[in-house]
Amino acid sequence: MPNKNDKPHIIILSTGGTIVGIAPSYTKATDYCIGNLNIDTLIETIPQLHELAHIQCEHIANIDSADMSDEIWLTLAQRANILLENPKVDGIVITHGTDTMEESAFFLHLCIKSDKPVVLTGAMRPSNTLNADGAKNLYNALLLASNIQSKGKGVMVVNNDRIHSARYVSKTHTCNIDAFSSPNVGDMGYIVDDKVFFYTLPNKPHTTQSMFDVGCLDSLPQVDILYSYANDGLAVAAQALVNQGTKGLVIAGSGAGSIHKNHKNTLQKLMQEGLIVVQSSRINNGRVFVSERDSQCGFIGSGDLNPQKARVLLILALTQSHNQAEIAKIFDIY
Ligand code: ASP
């Protein structure tokens, strides 16, 4: 065990989620209230956390992550960047609901300007249930954020002992404790018996190499997602969203990103008026392929980004440019 003063200084930023939820019953894990437990109280119940690091806690929000907002994203990124500039801070752990964790993680992966570790974690079970997973996840997140090997690897998510890169992670189970995976690439690493093992590295620019800077922003451009299905009403929905101020649309297309032919004229008309359209897929694995013709019309492929991740990238891209070709290039790079 290192000397007490050698321990890293880790800041925990709490945003809510099931990890601070309390269920009405020891055995029921669904109908519960989020935010009834204070993160400091959870930390007090796990004395082992203090063996890993000097911990300081800040409360950013206390929400179900389904209610995540642009304001909270901006606060998180701006606060994290200020904290990480402090030479006395060695890393950050963010506690977060699991529902939109992949989106917040990817947003931070692209906006954080430091190579110090930033780790998101949460829980699938409220804190007082029989198989509550929050304490172990929080312990693992602290362990990962305190590990020297975690430096320079971008933002990570840890859940159920599995380490994921924010670039690839997705919530892939609605209720199982093992709720996250990284389609196409697999886990980034694994934690067992207090040891961290890394298998892969994120291969796209992030954090210190990323072009995005939200330091001075107080709002983000509106980007929405439309889901494709047989006989969908995509064109009507797209026009309605643009009327309400949407600047970018991600289509969760069928298969490799297909869009019903009846909607393409409307989308092209909207693109001529400045809307940016990204084709993603409702399928969790593989890549999107944009035909030569569609790409000439201005549709941008999301590559291997799922719709919610493509939305994050399009939001950030629109903070830099409204030019279709420039945004297409951003999608190639990130
Ligand atoms: N609905 C919760 C949330 O995302 C689920 C969780 O934390 O697991 O905040």
Side-chain angles (χ1 to χ4, degrees):
M1 188 57 57
N3 175 305
K4 194 168 173 279
N5 296 320
D6 292 343
K7 285 187 299 188
H9 286 76
I10 306 292
I11 313 287
I12 298 180
L13 301 180
S14 77
T15 68
T18 300
I19 192 164
V20 285
I22 297 191
S25 136
Y26 194 50
T27 51
K28 293 219 168 57
T30 53
D31 196 10
Y32 58 93
C33 283
I34 278 176
N36 279 4
L37 176 75
N38 193 313
I39 191 76
D40 304 278
T41 314
L42 179 67
I43 292 168
E44 272 168 34
T45 64
I46 323 166
Q48 294 83 354
L49 294 180
H50 300 285
E51 290 170 17
L52 297 175
H54 297 285
I55 301 166
Q56 210 180 304
C57 218
E58 286 189 22
H59 300 257
I60 300 288
N62 199 11
I63 58 159
D64 183 316
S65 76
D67 303 328
M68 186 47 70
S69 67
D70 293 355
E71 290 71 28
I72 298 176
W73 273 0
L74 289 170
T75 305
L76 258 183
Q78 290 163 3
R79 185 68 192 137
N81 276 328
I82 290 171
L83 289 166
L84 292 165
E85 263 177 28
N86 181 345
K88 289 192 184 129
V89 172
D90 296 297
I92 289 182
V93 165
I94 299 172
T95 54
H96 195 292
T98 58
D99 289 356
T100 60
M101 189 184 289
E102 66 192 88
E103 291 158 71
S104 299
F106 189 41
F107 181 78
L108 295 169
H109 189 64
L110 296 174
C111 296
I112 287 207
K113 300 278 165 221
S114 169
D115 65 357
K116 293 177 187 172
V118 175
V119 181
L120 277 81
T121 199
M124 289 296 289
R125 300 284 179 268
S127 55
N128 60 330
T129 52
L130 199 52
N131 58 348
D133 52 337
K136 180 73 187 307
N137 283 340
L138 185 57
Y139 182 85
N140 278 345
L142 251 295
L143 190 75
L144 189 58
S146 309
N147 192 300
I148 194 82
Q149 287 182 70
S150 298
K151 239 184 146 184
K153 291 194 166 61
V155 173
M156 292 175 277
V157 165
V158 68
N159 182 70
N160 198 35
D161 298 335
R162 298 165 69 183
I163 305 166
H164 302 272
S165 165
R167 171 65 175 69
Y168 296 102
V169 69
S170 190
K171 186 169 182 182
T172 48
H173 202 288
T174 58
C175 49
N176 196 284
I177 277 183
D178 196 27
F180 289 89
S181 47
S182 297
N184 293 318
V185 299
D187 300 354
M188 192 182 175
Y190 199 78
I191 299 179
V192 60
D193 287 349
D194 281 356
K195 290 192 192 72
V196 175
F197 298 93
F198 284 108
Y199 308 146
T200 58
L201 287 175
N203 62 347
K204 302 271 188 178
H206 56 76
T207 55
T208 51
Q209 288 97 52
S210 165
M211 70 191 284
F212 305 110
D213 188 351
V214 297
C216 298
L217 299 184
D218 55 13
S219 66
L220 292 168
Q222 191 180 326
V223 174
D224 290 289
I225 300 174
L226 288 174
Y227 198 93
S228 296
Y229 47 89
N231 202 24
D232 64 58
L234 197 137
V236 175
Q239 181 69 67
L241 285 169
V242 169
N243 294 347
Q244 294 298 316
T246 291
K247 302 284 179 277
L249 262 188
V250 176
I251 313 289
S254 54
S258 301
I259 298 171
H260 195 302
K261 63 178 167 48
N262 290 355
H263 303 314
K264 288 192 178 169
N265 284 346
T266 306
L267 289 174
Q268 276 168 35
K269 184 193 104 214
L270 294 172
M271 288 192 292
Q272 277 152 18
E273 292 162 12
L275 179 74
I276 301 291
V277 177
V278 170
Q279 275 179 260
S280 182
S281 173
R282 63 185 197 174
I283 297 181
N284 240 341
N285 274 285
R287 294 182 67 82
V288 156
F289 297 100
V290 180
S291 70
E292 195 68 38
R293 201 162 145 254
D294 282 351
S295 130
Q296 272 161 17
C297 291
F299 291 98
I300 298 169
S302 75
D304 59 359
L305 289 174
N306 68 24
Q308 56 273 28
K309 291 272 179 75
R311 176 177 174 267
V312 169
L313 183 55
L314 184 50
I315 288 171
L316 288 171
L318 284 164
T319 64
Q320 302 287 314
S321 168
H322 284 77
N323 177 281
Q324 187 274 342
E326 281 171 19
I327 294 179
K329 202 155 168 232
I330 287 174
F331 270 81
D332 278 344
I333 295 170
Y334 292 90

